[in-house]
């Protein structure tokens, strides 16, 4: 948790409420100076061969491995992620870096798409090359700072851009550590420059004439950003929130296994994942068995000090979210929901909210319609696939959706009718570097990951080349 006051950013441990560090936040003048330096340095970075840029990123990967434990501890201290999950994130980011390193040459490869030579006296060639956008702003979220950050700055750097990287104010120490390791790996300081602070630092960054804005965060901030840069005709990508649904069909077979997987998908990272399972619809024939198994699973989760190996649920990163969750529980209970466990903050220090399971829920309740971003879930019975599809689509978001069912054909038929960027059959809360990551509606626009998520940091140039007549 963090607090900004007169350009000082306080880093507060969400498990204890104690200030662990104070950082100088950027202001308009320092952001401007960083932008000017990035703009001046970027043309030379473009001329550095891809092989050398890749070498620097490879060294960065090695440094992440070398310093993994201290980086995991930093992440746990400033955002409360249980340390085992912080280590998992640091391991997981390596595969993403490997993917970008492997695919960047293909994404940047110039291509001759037409060549008419032959006997004619003026042979014509058509070619496509890929140029960097220039100087891009990367405004990032705190919940997976290694994942959401590297989805942007790694391909942006590999493709020859300069990046002004604003980590979230709730993961600023991690952002500074990332910048330091990139610099130590050979990325010039002006080519990857951290911008420190909260909303005002982000707003100052947006006042610079950057060539692209790559944002990860909430719909509310994403909308503000889209408004701010509208009219500039620059690339804007917004990776926003979700209210991700899963439907469990009656033929799933092993109900307990599905319940365990979905409980983990809902509560991992203390429910603070953009692709956390946020609502579950269960066929009425297996509903009772599913709820029993789900509840057993959740009651076994260890909530506590995020530094402990065995902790599964840590504190919420932002204290303000405690009131949002309390509000969702109160609203649901007032409208007839039953609380099976949790529903309140834990007494004592830290931003702890007890893992919460609600049943007898419906779509008049905020908990089934608005992003919770915490350890809370509503489970609702449905009579058939059509009802499940209608409820899954009853949201302005569209990030991920899943179906647990025996038949792949049935699951794919259901998922094809649900608006979402990612579709899961018998799995959930999963991101792959090989697949595009994107959302519909309030979940955003543009994409990261996959080869397209590298190309998105480039501008294609069309070459029409006609040899002179002899
Ligand atoms: P947020 O919108 O509060 O903040 C995101 C970033 O925007 C931060 O760096 C913040 O300092 C900055 N910011 C705030 N106001 C700004 C302004 N006026 N101008 C410029 N920058 C500004 O979101 P958050 O709390 O950091 O992250 C949680 C949200 O992010 C959730 O909704 C979650 O679902 C979403 N998220 C989405 C994805 C995805 O891939 N779709 C991934 C992770 C998180």
């Amino acid at each position: 948790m963090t607090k900004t006051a007169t350009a000082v950013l306080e880093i507060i441990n969400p498990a204890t409420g104690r200030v662990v560090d104070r950082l100088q936040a950027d202001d308009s003048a320092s952001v401007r100076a960083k932008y000017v330096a990035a703009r001046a340095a970027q043309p030379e970075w473009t001329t550095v061969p891809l092989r050398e840029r890749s070498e620097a990123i490879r060294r960065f990967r090695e440094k992440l491995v070398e310093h993994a434990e201290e980086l995991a501890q930093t992440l746990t201290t400033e955002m409360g992620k249980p340390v085992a999950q912080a280590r998992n994130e640091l391991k997981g980011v390596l595969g993403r870096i490997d993917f970008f390193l492997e695919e960047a040459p293909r994404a940047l490869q110039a291509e001759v798409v037409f060549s008419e030579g032959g006997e004619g006296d003026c042979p014509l060639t058509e070619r496509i090359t890929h140029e960097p956008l220039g100087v891009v702003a990367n405004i990032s979220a705190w919940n997976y700072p290694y994942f959401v950050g590297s989805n942007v700055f790694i391909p942006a750097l590999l493709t020859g851009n300069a990046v002004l990287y604003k980590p979230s104010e709730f993961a600023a120490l991690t952002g500074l550590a990332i910048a330091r390791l990139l610099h130590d790996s050979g990325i010039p300081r002006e080519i990857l420059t951290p911008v420190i602070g909260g909303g005002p630092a982000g707003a100052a960054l947006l006042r610079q004439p950057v060539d692209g804005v790559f944002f990860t965060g909430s719909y509310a901030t994403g909308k503000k950003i889209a408004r701010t840069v509208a009219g500039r005709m620059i690339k804007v990508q917004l990776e926003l929130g979700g209210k991700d649904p899963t439907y469990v069909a009656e033929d799933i077979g092993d109900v307990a296994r599905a319940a365990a997987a979905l409980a983990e998908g809902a509560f991992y990272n203390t429910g603070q994942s953009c692709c956390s399972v946020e609502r579950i619809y269960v066929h009425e024939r297996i509903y009772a068995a599913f709820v029993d198994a789900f509840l057993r699973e959740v009651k076994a989760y260890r909530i506590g000090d995020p530094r402990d190996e065995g902790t599964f649920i840590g504190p919420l990163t932002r204290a303000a979210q405690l009131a949002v969750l309390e509000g969702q529980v109160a609203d649901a209970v007032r409208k007839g929901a039953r609380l099976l466990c949790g529903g309140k903050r834990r007494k004592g220090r830290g931003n702890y909210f007890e893992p919460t399971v609600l049943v007898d829920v419906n779509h008049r309740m905020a908990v089934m319609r608005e992003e919770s971003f915490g350890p809370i879930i509503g489970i609702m019975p449905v009579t058939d696939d059509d009802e499940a599809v209608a409820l899954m689509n009853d949201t302005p978001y569209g990030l991920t959706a899943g179906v647990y069912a025996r038949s792949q054909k049935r699951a794919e038929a259901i998922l094809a009718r649900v608006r979402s960027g990612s579709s899961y059959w018998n799995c959930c809360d999963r991101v792959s570097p090989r697949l595009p990551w994107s959302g519909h509606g309030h979940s955003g626009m543009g994409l990261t990951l996959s080869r397209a998520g590298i190309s998105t940091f480039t501008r294609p140039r069309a070459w029409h080349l006609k040899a002179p007549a002899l």
Side-chain angles (χ1 to χ4, degrees):
M1 190 179 94
T2 13
K3 206 166 73 187
T4 38
T6 60
V8 171
L9 183 66
E10 286 186 342
I11 310 296
I12 300 172
N13 183 336
T16 62
R18 291 212 182 96
V19 175
V20 292
D21 211 338
R22 287 188 174 81
L23 302 175
Q24 185 67 45
D26 275 293
D27 58 15
S28 290
S30 65
V31 172
R32 178 71 188 165
K34 288 177 177 185
Y35 165 76
V36 169
R39 177 62 77 194
Q42 191 268 332
E44 196 185 325
W45 179 241
T46 311
T47 67
V48 173
L50 175 60
R51 188 177 30 79
E52 281 177 39
R53 295 201 292 257
S54 299
E55 276 311 312
I57 298 300
R58 225 166 259 122
R59 284 193 291 274
F60 171 65
R61 185 198 190 283
E62 283 164 17
K63 288 185 191 301
L64 287 179
V65 174
E66 198 182 317
H67 298 280
E69 190 50 32
E70 99 201 39
L71 296 171
Q73 296 293 343
T74 300
L75 188 51
T76 294
T77 304
E78 71 177 333
M79 68 146 289
K81 191 185 290 260
V83 70
Q85 297 173 22
R87 290 186 190 122
N88 281 348
E89 187 180 348
L90 275 146
K91 272 192 214 119
V93 78
L94 303 179
R96 295 195 188 198
I97 295 174
D98 291 340
F99 172 81
F100 289 134
L101 285 168
E102 199 179 317
E103 285 297 323
R106 280 191 273 273
L108 288 173
Q109 182 70 50
E111 201 186 346
V112 173
V113 290
F114 184 75
S115 182
E116 192 182 55
E119 303 291 303
D121 57 352
C122 298
L124 175 74
T125 301
E126 293 175 358
R127 199 170 74 219
I128 305 170
T129 57
H130 305 280
E131 300 175 353
L133 297 176
V135 178
V136 300
N138 175 12
I139 300 179
S140 210
W142 46 265
N143 59 333
Y144 283 95
Y146 288 96
F147 286 162
V148 297
S150 67
N151 288 357
V152 174
F153 58 69
I154 300 283
L157 291 170
L158 284 173
T159 50
N161 296 279
V163 182
L164 293 164
Y165 163 51
K166 198 196 92 52
S168 165
E169 59 273 40
F170 295 94
L173 295 177
T174 294
L176 284 173
I178 288 173
R180 201 165 46 245
L181 294 183
L182 283 164
H183 298 155
D184 291 350
S185 307
I187 303 290
R189 282 168 191 280
E190 301 75 21
I191 293 300
L192 183 287
T193 312
V195 171
I196 294 301
L205 182 48
L206 292 178
R207 287 196 291 276
Q208 311 310 315
V210 291
D211 302 301
V213 175
F214 295 82
F215 171 78
T216 308
S218 62
Y219 167 69
T221 311
K223 191 163 76 169
K224 265 192 225 161
I225 288 178
R227 282 200 181 123
T228 304
V229 298
R232 288 201 215 160
M233 307 305 163
I234 57 171
K235 181 160 231 171
V236 182
Q237 285 203 176
L238 306 169
E239 303 214 330
L240 311 177
K243 189 69 193 167
D244 299 4
T246 298
Y247 167 45
V248 187
E250 77 292 347
D251 66 354
I252 187 59
D254 193 339
V255 173
R257 191 171 165 161
L262 285 168
E264 172 155 351
F267 291 96
Y268 192 84
N269 205 29
T270 314
Q272 302 171 115
S273 308
C274 51
C275 51
S276 285
V277 177
E278 289 243 344
R279 348 174 235 149
I280 302 177
Y281 305 98
V282 185
H283 195 283
E284 59 187 6
R285 259 188 260 156
I286 56 161
Y287 178 73
F290 180 89
V291 171
D292 278 355
F294 193 93
L295 197 59
R296 260 197 316 277
E297 199 67 28
V298 174
K299 284 188 168 166
Y301 287 153
R302 217 162 95 189
I303 174 169
D305 188 337
R307 292 171 305 175
D308 289 349
E309 300 288 327
T311 293
F312 186 70
I313 307 273
L316 293 179
T317 304
R318 297 166 301 174
Q321 198 66 9
L322 290 165
V324 173
L325 299 187
E326 280 173 338
Q328 288 194 348
V329 170
D331 167 74
V333 169
R334 198 172 52 245
K335 291 173 180 163
R338 244 176 339 121
L339 195 55
L340 296 188
C341 66
K344 56 182 187 307
R345 56 180 93 193
R346 207 178 64 166
K347 287 200 180 75
R349 286 186 314 166
N351 308 334
Y352 288 95
F353 198 86
E354 292 178 4
T356 300
V357 178
L358 286 156
V359 292
D360 296 347
V361 289
N362 60 51
H363 275 222
R364 284 179 292 110
M365 300 171 182
V367 73
M368 297 303 277
R369 300 189 48 82
E370 289 162 24
E371 189 177 44
S372 304
F373 223 60
I376 173 169
I377 190 89
I379 310 177
M380 191 173 165
V382 290
T383 51
D384 57 23
D385 297 358
D386 287 344
E387 188 185 8
V389 168
L391 289 168
M392 287 163 99
N393 278 330
D394 184 25
T395 172
Y397 292 104
L399 193 60
T400 81
V403 169
Y404 278 66
R406 180 164 303 220
S407 151
Q408 180 173 357
K409 198 166 157 212
R410 176 180 174 190
E412 288 196 21
I414 295 168
L415 288 166
R417 295 162 64 199
V418 177
R419 278 187 320 274
S420 69
S422 294
S423 302
Y424 301 126
W425 175 45
N426 295 338
C427 56
C428 60
D429 191 26
R430 180 177 193 282
V431 180
S432 163
R434 298 170 291 278
L435 295 172
W437 186 248
S438 69
H440 290 230
H442 288 194
S443 291
M445 56 195 208
L447 62 87
T448 52
L449 300 175
S450 74
R451 195 182 299 171
I454 303 176
S455 301
T456 196
F457 296 96
T458 66
R459 199 191 304 278
R461 182 187 284 266
W463 297 86
H464 305 245
L465 305 166
K466 197 164 187 181
L470 296 173

